[in-house]
Amino acid sequence: MGIFKVCVVGAGIVGLTTALEIQSTFPSADVCLIADQFNEATTSDGAAGLFRPGISFCGPDLQITKKWIKDSYTYYNDLISDECGIKEIGGYIFSSTSKSNVQNHLLEDVVPIYRPATNEELKLCPGQWQYGSYFTTLLVECRRFLPWALNRFKNNGGRVVKKLIQSFDEIPGDFDVIMNCTGFGAKYLCKDIKMVPIRGQVIKVKAPWLQTFYYGDYDTYIIPGFEGNVTLGGCRNFDSYDVSLSRYDRAAIMERCCSLVPELSAAPVVREWVGLRPHRDPVRVHFEKLANKKIVHNYGHGGYGVTSAPGTAKHAVSILLKALSSSANSKL
């Protein structure tokens, strides 16, 4: 019986959590991670990292989607430490238009606290806020988590290859299975017309005094991270491929965030970022046999890759196990 060989394509947060899940499930496997971008060069690096799924985020059905979120929260909660960039945080979401904007059916039963804001709390930020919620959750700082996860993968015996994969035929045929975690790259690699970019732009400022996150409806968010850095956002430009910084988006983000927390107007800017969120409805976690290759796809998380990656990784590996158990030629 030979060694089980797995190739994971993509080194964002989905690829890395999938690679680690493979190593946990198959300790003796030979796991190779192939990607053209790592750590700060990935789309994951720009994420604010707050554990909060959008209410429209979905997998194949509601039950599976909820399991992804719960499994992800449990995964991160077990890892809380400055070393891997995970901490607890609390904050508010306010709305001036609808109670439904401050509710979240995917999160309310997962986090320790999710409750309506009091009348006094509705006055914490300037504005005509009619509805609000306070909740505690987790913050996953990808600038710390991605290098930590990559090092853990290597320390577990994983191999890393820096290479752009433009076709599954470029991956050697001696792998027993390919885990496709290429994010937006899957649009071209899989010719998946359901993959749509959602352009995002954020501003990182230095405001160490801020320890609470704030959302104003869905368009405005202020999320404290590590070392006093705070992410201000944002925008969601559907089907936009523009990765250049927009001075108009910058001005709009600053105006909205400073109207929510006026003290931020004096915070120095330390970094600006633009990225394309890999959106697909639903997220694709699916087994496919392509010619002589067995592939498990895990992509299309949109702006909720940090929130859902460990859960979809666990699901992807469970799909792999089912596929292997039905194969008479499995090497396991």
Side-chain angles (χ1 to χ4, degrees):
M1 183 178 293
I3 297 175
F4 183 53
K5 300 183 68 176
V6 183
C7 175
V8 180
V9 188
I13 196 160
V14 176
L16 284 172
T17 52
T18 300
L20 290 173
E21 185 69 21
I22 287 285
Q23 289 181 323
S24 175
T25 307
F26 307 100
S28 62
D30 175 12
V31 187
C32 179
L33 180 68
I34 300 179
D36 63 322
Q37 304 288 348
F38 294 86
N39 295 337
E40 295 182 15
T42 67
T43 300
S44 300
D45 179 72
L50 189 74
F51 190 97
R52 188 196 71 88
I55 58 175
S56 63
F57 176 79
C58 69
D61 60 48
L62 181 59
Q63 181 180 359
I64 289 174
T65 305
K66 284 189 170 185
K67 189 174 189 308
W68 288 350
I69 301 304
K70 186 173 183 178
D71 286 346
S72 293
Y73 188 90
T74 299
Y75 177 88
Y76 290 131
N77 197 49
D78 289 343
L79 292 174
I80 288 178
S81 71
D82 286 356
E83 179 189 4
C84 55
I86 303 173
K87 67 179 180 179
E88 295 177 306
I89 190 170
Y92 298 90
I93 178 169
F94 298 127
S95 176
S96 59
T97 58
S98 174
K99 184 178 180 180
S100 65
N101 285 356
V102 302
Q103 298 173 323
N104 193 311
H105 67 287
L106 296 175
L107 192 62
E108 291 170 5
D109 295 331
V110 174
V111 296
I113 300 173
Y114 202 112
R115 61 165 175 79
T118 65
N119 289 333
E120 291 75 18
E121 288 171 326
L122 290 173
K123 300 174 184 176
L124 285 172
C125 296
Q128 300 300 313
W129 306 116
Q130 301 297 313
Y131 311 95
S133 292
Y134 172 84
F135 61 98
T136 58
T137 186
L138 300 173
L139 189 287
V140 183
E141 178 78 55
C142 278
R143 185 149 285 196
R144 294 188 181 201
F145 181 79
L146 294 181
W148 174 87
L150 185 60
N151 286 335
R152 186 173 188 176
F153 172 75
K154 291 177 180 177
N155 291 338
N156 289 342
R159 297 183 291 121
V160 176
V161 175
K162 182 175 174 58
K163 179 182 179 181
L164 174 63
I165 298 297
Q166 296 179 299
S167 167
F168 289 118
D169 291 335
E170 297 175 10
I171 300 173
D174 59 340
F175 287 106
D176 295 285
V177 67
I178 298 166
M179 309 297 287
N180 173 28
C181 307
T182 51
F184 190 64
K187 180 178 182 67
Y188 308 103
L189 184 62
C190 302
K191 297 180 175 59
D192 190 340
I193 61 174
K194 287 190 174 184
M195 282 295 297
V196 179
I198 299 181
R199 179 185 175 276
Q201 180 167 327
V202 298
I203 304 167
K204 309 273 186 175
V205 301
K206 186 69 72 174
W209 47 268
L210 188 65
Q211 301 296 320
T212 303
F213 66 81
Y214 294 96
Y215 276 80
D217 284 306
Y218 282 109
D219 296 326
T220 304
Y221 52 86
I222 299 166
I223 302 174
F226 284 79
E227 299 177 350
N229 293 322
V230 179
T231 301
L232 311 182
C235 60
R236 296 179 179 86
N237 305 132
F238 190 82
D239 213 11
S240 170
Y241 291 77
D242 184 5
V243 293
S244 61
L245 286 167
S246 166
R247 66 179 185 273
Y248 304 108
D249 288 331
R250 178 192 301 125
I253 291 168
M254 289 302 299
E255 179 181 356
R256 296 198 310 271
C257 290
C258 291
S259 68
L260 195 61
V261 180
E263 295 84 355
L264 287 169
S265 61
V269 174
V270 296
R271 180 186 174 209
E272 295 184 77
W273 177 89
V274 173
L276 304 181
R277 306 175 180 102
H279 174 75
R280 190 182 191 276
D281 189 7
V283 177
R284 190 183 188 197
V285 185
H286 174 73
F287 175 79
E288 179 181 24
K289 191 168 184 180
L290 193 64
N292 64 333
K293 299 183 185 297
K294 296 179 178 139
I295 303 169
V296 178
H297 301 286
N298 185 11
Y299 66 83
H301 300 63
Y304 305 107
V306 172
T307 297
S308 61
T312 64
K314 188 173 181 178
H315 188 193
V317 173
S318 71
I319 288 174
L320 171 60
L321 285 167
K322 290 178 183 177
L324 292 175
S325 67
S326 65
S327 173
N329 297 320
S330 171
K331 292 183 179 181
L332 296 183

